[in-house]
Amino acid sequence: MIGTRLDDVDEPRLIPSDRGWWFIGNQTWTLLKPEHVGADGELRPDVDGFLRSEGAYRERTAKSFSLTVLTSTACNLGCGYCFQNTGQDPRGGHRPPRIDLRRLSTATIDRIVDFTAERMTRAGLARLYLLLFGGEPLLNPRGCLELLERCAPLGLGVGAMTTNGVLLTRRRAVQLHDAGLRDVQITFDGSRADHDGTRVTHTGGATFDAILANVAAATAATGLRWNFRVNVSHHNIDRIGELFGQLDGRTDPDRCTFTFAWVGDSGIGYRNDLTRARQVEDRFVEWAVEGLERGYRFVRPSMRTTCQICSVPGGRHGAVVNADGTLFSSWQSAGKPGMEVGHVDHGYLDPGSVPDRWVTCGYDYEQADAEVMAAFQDRVDGRILDYLHTTGRL
C-alpha cells in the first residue's frame, strides 16, 4: 500500500522500473526517481505530499449506477472453460451442463427498472451504466432492446454488452445502437485456428469468420466501440500475434481496444498450463506494443480497483440481476444455486445473514494465485509504461 487509502476499494500502485518507479494513481502515471522510494518500498513523505497536492490521490467515487442484467442464461456456444458451466459434457462434446435456464421478460424488465430507479435515488446517482450480459444476451434480442429503451429515462449514459458476436448481425447492431448501445465486448480464443478449436457451437462448428464478418458489418453501419478480449492459454499463446493480421481491414482500430486475459480453471476441469514465466510476460508486452503500433486504442494501466457492484455488500452503487429478477453479488456468481443475495421485488438480503454469498469478481481463484497474477500484471504494466514513456505516448 502507498500512503493512505482514501476509501475501501481503490489504491495507487507503485511498480519498479529500470528507470525508477512508476506511480499509478487516479488518471496519473508518474515516473519517479529511485531515491523517491525508500528501502521499505514506501514513498518518501515529501514525495507522497507532493503527489497528494497534485491530485494523484483523488478519491474515486461512483459517478453512475452500474447495472448488469442477464437477458438470457442460455448460450449458443459450448466453450469448455465457461464459469457458467456446472461440469464437462459427459459425452465429450460441446454441450456442457450449465446454470438454470432463465429468460428476461417484459414483466421482469418493469420490476428491474423500478428497482434501479429506487436504488439510484437512494445512492444520489443520476446516471446509469447498463451492461447486457448472459449466457448469450442476443439469444433474447427483444429483451436487450426493450431494456435499453426502458432504461433511457433513468439517465442511461453508457449501454454496453458482452456477447460472443455470432448473433450480432448488421441489422441487429443498428437496432441496438439506435436504442443506446455503445460498447461491445467480444472474446477471441486466439487467432482463427485456435479460436475455432475452442469457441465452437454445440455441434463443434467454427465461429471465427462469422464473428469477424459481423464485427466488420456493424463497424461500417454504426458507431459501436469494441473491446476484443483475447483469452490466453497454453493452447494458443504461440499464435495469438496472428490475430492482428486477421483483423486488418475489417475493423476501425481507433474504435477498438484489446484486453489479453488469462484463462483460469473455474472448477470444472479446464486447465491452463501456462505459468507466469518471463517468456509469457514478454508475449503480453509484445502484443500490447504491436496493437499500439497498428493504431489500436490502449487502456493505460490503472490503480488497483475492484468493481463498484461487488466490492461493497448491499449493492450501494450497482446490481447484478438475473433474467428472473434474482440479485447476485457479481456477474461471476449470477445464476449459481445458493449464491442469491436478494430479488428486485424485495431488495437485498442482510449481507450479514449471507456472508458467503457476497463474493467478488474472480472468487474462484485462490488468494495466493491472485497475488501471483497481480505481481505478473505489475511487471507487464511497468514494461508497457516504459515503452509509452520512451516513445512519447504517455
Side-chain angles (χ1 to χ4, degrees), residues 214-238:
N214 285 343
V215 168
T219 297
T222 72
L224 288 173
R225 299 181 294 260
W226 309 90
N227 177 49
F228 297 138
R229 174 190 166 101
V230 184
N231 285 337
V232 181
S233 75
H234 66 282
H235 296 290
N236 62 17
I237 188 170
D238 291 332

Side-chain angles (χ1 to χ4, degrees), residues 11-12 15 19 39 52 75 84 112 114 116 120 143 151 174 199 211 241 251-252 286 300 304 315 344 371 373 387-388:
E11 61 178 324
I15 300 175
R19 296 171 171 80
R52 290 179 183 281
C75 190
Q84 292 179 338
I112 291 174
D114 290 344
T116 303
M120 291 177 67
C151 284
V174 170
R199 187 160 280 255
I211 295 168
T251 61
D252 176 359
E286 173 189 314
R300 289 181 174 86
R304 291 273 184 237
V344 293
E371 291 172 356
M373 177 54 84
Y387 171 80
L388 292 171

Side-chain angles (χ1 to χ4, degrees), residues 2-3 76 94 157 175 179 186 214 228 247 256 276 333 348 365:
I2 306 168
N76 54 325
H94 304 285
Q175 291 174 331
I186 288 178
N214 285 343
F228 297 138
L247 293 174
C256 303
R276 282 82 173 180
S333 62
Y348 285 97
Y365 302 101

Side-chain angles (χ1 to χ4, degrees), residues 74-394:
C75 190
N76 54 325
L77 302 188
C79 309
Y81 54 73
C82 182
F83 60 83
Q84 292 179 338
N85 294 344
T86 58
Q88 293 291 315
D89 186 338
R91 298 184 178 181
H94 304 285
R95 297 182 184 274
R98 292 177 47 81
I99 57 176
D100 289 344
L101 180 63
R102 298 288 186 271
R103 183 181 174 87
L104 186 67
S105 67
T106 296
T108 304
I109 290 174
D110 291 340
R111 290 140 66 195
I112 291 174
V113 169
D114 290 344
F115 165 84
T116 303
E118 189 276 332
R119 300 296 294 189
M120 291 177 67
T121 298
R122 183 184 302 186
L125 297 171
R127 291 178 64 81
L128 176 67
Y129 173 90
L130 172 64
L131 174 62
L132 303 173
F133 200 69
E136 169 50 49
L138 289 177
L139 285 173
N140 185 4
R142 179 177 176 180
C144 293
L145 286 168
E146 187 173 352
L147 190 59
L148 283 165
E149 292 164 354
R150 292 292 309 283
C151 284
L154 298 182
L156 181 63
V158 175
M161 173 184 286
T162 297
T163 173
N164 57 47
V166 173
L167 302 176
L168 188 60
T169 62
R170 179 188 182 281
R171 175 175 175 272
R172 193 160 284 163
V174 170
Q175 291 174 331
L176 290 164
H177 186 261
D178 289 347
L181 185 68
R182 294 295 178 265
D183 297 329
V184 177
Q185 175 171 297
I186 288 178
T187 297
F188 289 105
D189 280 326
S191 60
R192 179 186 282 106
D194 292 309
H195 177 103
D196 283 343
T198 305
R199 187 160 280 255
V200 296
T201 66
H202 293 304
T203 59
T207 62
F208 185 92
D209 287 335
I211 295 168
L212 192 53
N214 285 343
V215 168
T219 297
T222 72
L224 288 173
R225 299 181 294 260
W226 309 90
N227 177 49
F228 297 138
R229 174 190 166 101
V230 184
N231 285 337
V232 181
S233 75
H234 66 282
H235 296 290
N236 62 17
I237 188 170
D238 291 332
R239 292 169 294 276
I240 281 179
E242 298 172 9
L243 179 60
F244 291 108
Q246 292 165 355
L247 293 174
D248 279 351
R250 312 301 297 277
T251 61
D252 176 359
D254 194 50
R255 286 157 56 189
C256 303
T257 60
F258 277 87
T259 302
F260 298 98
W262 203 278
V263 181
D265 182 359
S266 57
I268 53 163
Y270 179 91
R271 190 181 69 191
N272 186 349
D273 290 339
L274 283 184
T275 61
R276 282 82 173 180
R278 182 57 187 252
Q279 60 266 33
V280 177
E281 176 187 323
D282 291 343
R283 293 294 183 86
F284 273 74
V285 175
E286 173 189 314
W287 301 326
V289 170
E290 181 168 0
L292 283 164
E293 294 300 330
R294 287 175 176 266
Y296 288 97
R297 295 173 62 241
F298 180 73
V299 179
R300 289 181 174 86
S302 63
M303 299 169 65
R304 291 273 184 237
T305 62
T306 53
C307 91
Q308 71 181 48
I309 298 178
C310 63
S311 60
V312 180
R316 182 170 59 187
H317 296 138
V320 174
V321 189
N322 200 6
D324 61 358
T326 306
L327 298 169
F328 292 84
S329 70
S330 78
W331 48 263
Q332 195 165 355
S333 62
K336 295 185 176 179
M339 300 302 292
E340 305 86 352
V341 296
H343 194 280
V344 293
D345 288 346
H346 48 72
Y348 285 97
L349 299 171
D350 177 2
S353 68
V354 287
D356 293 340
R357 301 183 190 182
W358 278 102
V359 297
T360 58
C361 305
Y363 76 95
D364 282 329
Y365 302 101
E366 297 291 338
Q367 182 62 32
D369 188 59
E371 291 172 356
V372 170
M373 177 54 84
F376 172 84
Q377 194 62 55
D378 277 351
R379 295 195 304 271
V380 171
D381 286 351
R383 293 177 60 187
I384 291 171
L385 287 171
D386 285 345
Y387 171 80
L388 292 171
H389 179 71
T390 300
T391 57
R393 303 187 188 197
L394 193 63

Side-chain angles (χ1 to χ4, degrees), residues 22-54:
W22 281 107
F23 174 91
I24 307 175
N26 183 25
Q27 297 298 308
T28 304
W29 304 271
T30 303
L31 183 60
L32 303 176
K33 296 180 179 179
E35 59 267 26
H36 289 160
V37 179
D40 58 357
E42 296 289 333
L43 288 171
R44 273 185 4 209
D46 59 324
V47 176
D48 180 82
F50 172 77
L51 290 170
R52 290 179 183 281
S53 70
E54 293 298 309

